[in-house]
Amino acid sequence: MHPAILIVSALTAGAALARKLLSGEVTSRKHKAIEAAAQEARIRIRREAHKFLKKSFLHFATATGVKAAILATLWIIWVAHGLSDKAISISVGVALVAFLIRDAWVIYPTARFVISTLVRNGWRPLRALRETVAALVFEEVLAEAQALAQSRSHNLLISLSGHNRDDLHKEIAEAVADIARHSSWDDLKPYIASAAAKTLSLMVIYATMVTVLISRLP
């Protein structure tokens, strides 16, 4: 019995060592995947933020330009005596009310999302931004990881190491989301500041135009 016990002990020890080595290899690959995915996520966050804010500003600029053109047209018609004093006052008033209703309709979905996000995060804007970005990154990374085809050898390595593929995917997604959570403000700050400055400048110009126009009405 003694030799048999020695053989079984040796095999057991060898299997445990092999499993430990395989687990270390999987862990090493996991950390590399997290680093690569985090870098890609940050690049993608910056790229998508730039595209989204640029598109949003262009829509805002176009809408503001149309409003300004309508008001300028009404003023020109009035100056050319195409509208009476009473008619121009009513026309400008109706136009401004219509602009407000249109803006409220367009902004409502975004405003509702922003307010609900702020409520969930205790009315802390930075935390709301970080948690929103982290949630989006988690879902995206997890979906991409699950959709990625894996070789039989890779799946065998995970199985022999004692890991679970789905758990690994979630762990990687959570780690990348956590990195995005802590870096999102630094990554997005330049784009948000630039878009805010452009939007504020356009709002000031439009508000000045409306003020001057109203001051000249009878």
Side-chain angles (χ1 to χ4, degrees), residues 147-166:
L148 187 64
Q150 299 290 351
S151 64
R152 292 180 62 185
S153 60
H154 182 80
N155 289 331
L156 181 61
L157 173 63
I158 292 176
S159 298
L160 292 176
S161 66
H163 287 83
N164 179 276
R165 180 180 174 181
D166 291 336

Side-chain angles (χ1 to χ4, degrees), residues 21-22 47 51 61 68 87 90 114 119 197 201 209:
L21 290 174
L22 289 174
R47 183 172 63 243
K51 288 168 57 178
I90 294 174
V114 170
V119 170
S201 299
M209 173 191 168

Side-chain angles (χ1 to χ4, degrees), residues 30-185:
K30 179 185 68 176
H31 290 322
K32 290 179 181 178
I34 290 172
E35 291 176 4
Q39 289 298 323
E40 173 63 24
R42 294 187 67 179
I43 293 172
R44 193 178 300 178
I45 287 170
R46 291 192 291 267
R47 183 172 63 243
E48 292 302 319
H50 177 67
K51 288 168 57 178
F52 173 77
L53 292 172
K54 181 179 179 181
K55 183 178 179 180
S56 298
F57 175 75
L58 288 175
H59 285 170
F60 177 76
T62 300
T64 303
V66 171
K67 295 175 189 175
I70 292 173
L71 293 176
T73 300
L74 291 174
W75 183 78
I76 291 172
I77 294 174
W78 173 61
V79 170
H81 303 291
L83 288 172
S84 64
D85 292 348
K86 183 177 181 180
I88 186 62
S89 298
I90 294 174
S91 298
V92 170
V94 170
L96 292 176
V97 171
F99 295 161
L100 289 175
I101 294 174
R102 178 263 174 196
D103 290 343
W105 178 264
V106 171
I107 292 173
Y108 174 72
T110 302
R112 183 177 62 178
F113 171 76
V114 170
I115 291 174
S116 64
T117 304
L118 286 173
V119 170
R120 286 197 306 270
N121 291 277
W123 294 97
R124 286 177 282 186
L126 288 184
R127 180 179 174 181
L129 173 65
R130 288 167 178 158
E131 293 301 324
T132 301
V133 170
L136 293 173
V137 168
F138 175 82
E139 293 176 0
E140 193 170 288
V141 171
L142 183 59
E144 290 179 357
Q146 291 175 338
L148 187 64
Q150 299 290 351
S151 64
R152 292 180 62 185
S153 60
H154 182 80
N155 289 331
L156 181 61
L157 173 63
I158 292 176
S159 298
L160 292 176
S161 66
H163 287 83
N164 179 276
R165 180 180 174 181
D166 291 336
D167 290 341
L168 277 176
H169 288 167
K170 289 182 179 179
E171 189 175 348
I172 290 172
E174 288 172 354
V176 175
D178 190 55
I179 293 173
R181 178 182 291 108
H182 290 92
S183 63
S184 57
W185 175 242

Side-chain angles (χ1 to χ4, degrees), residues 6-23:
L6 289 177
I7 292 173
V8 171
S9 299
L11 290 175
T12 304
L17 179 60
R19 187 186 182 101
K20 185 175 181 180
L21 290 174
L22 289 174
S23 180

